[in-house]
Amino acid sequence: VLAMPLFGQEIKVLYDEAELPQFTLPDPLVAADGTKITSAEAWRKIRRPELLAMFEAEVYGKSPSPQKISSRVLSEGDAFGGKATRRQVRIFLTGEEAGPHTDLLLYLPKSGSPVPVVAALNFKGNHSTSDDPEILLPKSWMRANDADGIKNHTATEKSRGAAKSRWPIERIVDRGYAVATAYYGDIDPDFDDQFQNGVHAAFYAEGQTKPAADEWGSIAAWAFGLSRIVDYLEQQDAIDHDRMIVMGHSRLGKTSLWAGATDERFALVISNNSGCGGAALSRRRFGESVRRINKSFPHWFCDNFVKYDDNEDACPVDQHELIALIAPRPVLICSAEEDRWADPHGEFLAGLYADPVYRLLGTDGLAVEEMPPLDQLVNSRIGYRIRPGKHDVTLSDWEAYLDFADKQLTSK
Ligand code: GTR
């Protein structure tokens, strides 16, 4: 047990399985009124909507109904010596040019037929994902400052390629997948400003100044942005609409899971090192806890989630049920051995306890009952992998994502 200081208070951080509290997980196959869910139809009609509504009301907050997007191509040209097309397109999230927008960077392999796509938000701006000088420098507020070429919370030329180790774009293109990325701060800047900036304000009801306790926080807003990106991708004939993948790392891994749960157009969902509020079971309180995350990042979840600080057992849902909301679509949970803050074992267990739902829906679920050895991809409908090393996204992670997608998604 380590003690980590936070805002002058000591919050105990559990890093020992023997210290974990005893808990009972809610059963994904028992409805709130006690009814056992024994058919795919009852899952679809009763339990799935019920779980979705509880995650909305108690964890991430409910997002508004979308408006129809509009878009404008900013640039288009060849990339990687002509192997791919690079397109940059501004997506207007409310359909209005005066409203919030996000700039999508799309690399499309040149292929005779529609290609699968990986949609993933980035942390540092589109230009950080590659040295490609054609990528437009964002003007948006940047989280980092005086690091990686960010000055006054604004990107400079120096920050080009700052995150490229996480984005092996040419390799992804060579494997036949398109990449669609956008800067998450375009959708909602990642700091607690009571939701005055970003997409929230554009959806307030008359007289509303902040989201209600059961309405969207930042994670839900980023997921909403991913869905608007899918609105755009669906309009593109070059994209295979049956093979649209969402991927995210860390807070954006929490986001990709919520995006996959709420938007079934995502045919496959990948979370990398998503941890607390992502794939890790909250009731374990291993590493980052609900209380700790709500203190550090009060804007990520809805205000109701604070009720579960040191009180996880009272929450009507736990994160294995978030994985279950993706069923029967393939989901890949990725952990890193040294990323104990994100609770790799808790991430694995969420997959394991989602398995009964996947089986009820006629899939192979998670093919193992114990955590696999390092670097060994469990390539069943619920996938799992843990690799050596730290909280990060690596080339080997991407190879595993695409091995998983190659097997789990077949073109029609
Ligand atoms: C940490 C946070 C994690 C994770 C991570 C990240 O500070 O505690 O939940 O989201 O940030 O997004 O990099």
Short mmCIF file of all heavy atoms in Angstrom, two decimals, residues 121 173 330 362:
data_model
loop_
_atom_site.label_atom_id
_atom_site.label_comp_id
_atom_site.label_asym_id
_atom_site.label_seq_id
_atom_site.Cartn_x
_atom_site.Cartn_y
_atom_site.Cartn_z
N LEU A 121 -8.81 9.65 -31.29
CA LEU A 121 -8.46 11.04 -30.96
C LEU A 121 -6.99 11.09 -30.54
O LEU A 121 -6.43 10.09 -30.09
CB LEU A 121 -9.36 11.56 -29.84
CG LEU A 121 -10.86 11.60 -30.17
CD1 LEU A 121 -11.67 12.07 -28.94
CD2 LEU A 121 -11.13 12.52 -31.36
N VAL A 173 -1.27 2.10 -42.69
CA VAL A 173 -1.71 2.20 -44.09
C VAL A 173 -1.24 0.98 -44.89
O VAL A 173 -1.99 0.39 -45.67
CB VAL A 173 -1.17 3.53 -44.69
CG1 VAL A 173 -1.19 3.51 -46.20
CG2 VAL A 173 -1.99 4.72 -44.15
N PRO A 330 -16.58 -7.16 -31.44
CA PRO A 330 -15.26 -7.41 -30.85
C PRO A 330 -14.73 -6.21 -30.05
O PRO A 330 -14.90 -5.06 -30.46
CB PRO A 330 -14.37 -7.70 -32.05
CG PRO A 330 -15.16 -7.46 -33.28
CD PRO A 330 -16.59 -7.29 -32.91
N GLY A 362 -23.99 -15.56 -28.52
CA GLY A 362 -23.53 -16.54 -29.51
C GLY A 362 -22.10 -16.38 -29.99
O GLY A 362 -21.72 -16.93 -31.02
#
